[in-house]
Amino acid sequence: MCDEIDDSFLFLVKSDKKLAFQIIFDGYWTLLYKQALKKVQCKDAAKDLVQDTFLTLWDKIDSFDKEVSILAYLYGILRNKTLKLYEKNEVRAKYAISVATKDAQLDIHSQDALLEKELSGIINNEIANMPPRMREIYLKKRDNDISIREIATDLSLSEQTIKNQLQTAYQRLRASVQNYASSPAR
């Protein structure tokens, strides 16, 4: 059958290109489809590959080499189209993975920003609830990075009082953050 189609094809190409193409299309479509389906495991993709194969044949029908079997030529085109499809799918998969990874990173950054905002609120709330003198001492140390000696001099208090107040402030803050970290609502 293949030799008959090949002979008819070569003869008809010169006289009736459309008829020659129709004979090849009718004679080989099913064989090519089965081959494509084995390779891609998807009916629609297999049909698309076969259609693309025949489009390529149509574009090159006038320059077809008589020495080459038409079926072998079509299988070669189909193989190349299948490989290109695999390459495209690989690129798409890599892109999808990279997008998913970026989305996950954005989610992590969003969670980090939310966590930072929540912790900042807890710390600021605890600072606001400190006794006025303790809050004043803590803020001078935190915001101005003033030494204990300078704070003591500025407020006319002993250095030990400043140390005690800071120690108590740090303990309160630590306890508030630990309560937040262990709360089930988080």
Side-chain angles (χ1 to χ4, degrees):
M1 178 180 156
C2 293
D3 290 337
E4 293 172 20
I5 292 175
D6 284 357
D7 293 339
S8 302
F9 174 73
L10 295 173
F11 176 75
L12 281 174
V13 165
K14 295 183 188 220
S15 61
D16 189 350
K17 182 176 165 179
K18 288 181 183 178
L19 182 59
F21 180 82
Q22 189 63 48
I23 290 170
I24 295 303
F25 185 87
D26 292 341
Y28 292 131
W29 195 93
T30 303
L31 287 172
L32 292 174
Y33 174 74
K34 288 178 182 178
Q35 180 68 19
L37 189 57
K38 278 196 288 187
K39 297 294 184 189
V40 296
Q41 310 288 312
C42 172
K43 291 179 181 181
D44 290 336
K47 287 177 185 177
D48 289 345
L49 285 169
V50 174
Q51 294 295 11
D52 287 347
T53 299
F54 280 111
L55 283 174
T56 301
L57 175 65
W58 178 258
D59 291 341
K60 298 180 180 187
I61 201 167
D62 293 323
S63 61
F64 188 78
D65 185 2
K66 297 176 184 176
E67 302 299 316
V68 177
S69 159
I70 295 171
L71 185 58
Y73 182 73
L74 290 171
Y75 276 138
I77 295 170
L78 180 63
R79 183 190 70 240
N80 291 336
K81 299 271 183 206
T82 304
L83 291 174
K84 285 182 182 177
L85 178 66
Y86 287 152
E87 288 172 4
K88 283 181 187 176
N89 288 342
E90 183 178 351
V91 168
R92 287 181 184 134
K94 285 180 183 177
Y95 177 74
I97 289 169
S98 74
V99 167
T101 303
K102 286 178 185 175
D103 287 347
Q105 288 172 346
L106 289 175
D107 287 346
I108 290 170
H109 292 305
S110 298
Q111 285 178 330
D112 288 348
L114 182 61
L115 181 63
E116 184 178 333
K117 186 176 179 181
E118 287 177 6
L119 285 173
S120 179
I122 288 168
I123 290 169
N124 289 334
N125 188 44
E126 187 59 41
I127 292 170
N129 290 328
M130 288 179 183
R133 185 60 101 183
M134 182 185 293
R135 179 176 47 245
E136 181 181 12
I137 292 168
Y138 173 77
L139 291 174
K140 281 183 181 277
K141 181 69 175 156
R142 184 190 77 175
D143 295 343
N144 302 323
D145 198 27
I146 299 174
S147 71
I148 291 174
R149 177 174 283 154
E150 290 173 307
I151 296 171
T153 304
D154 187 39
L155 298 177
S156 301
L157 297 171
S158 73
E159 287 184 32
Q160 188 59 47
T161 301
I162 302 302
K163 288 179 186 177
N164 291 344
Q165 289 291 312
L166 286 173
Q167 179 75 25
T168 305
Y170 294 144
Q171 287 172 348
R172 289 177 68 144
L173 290 170
R174 198 173 300 117
S176 293
V177 171
Q178 286 176 341
N179 285 341
Y180 169 77
S182 64
S183 69
R186 223 187 83 158

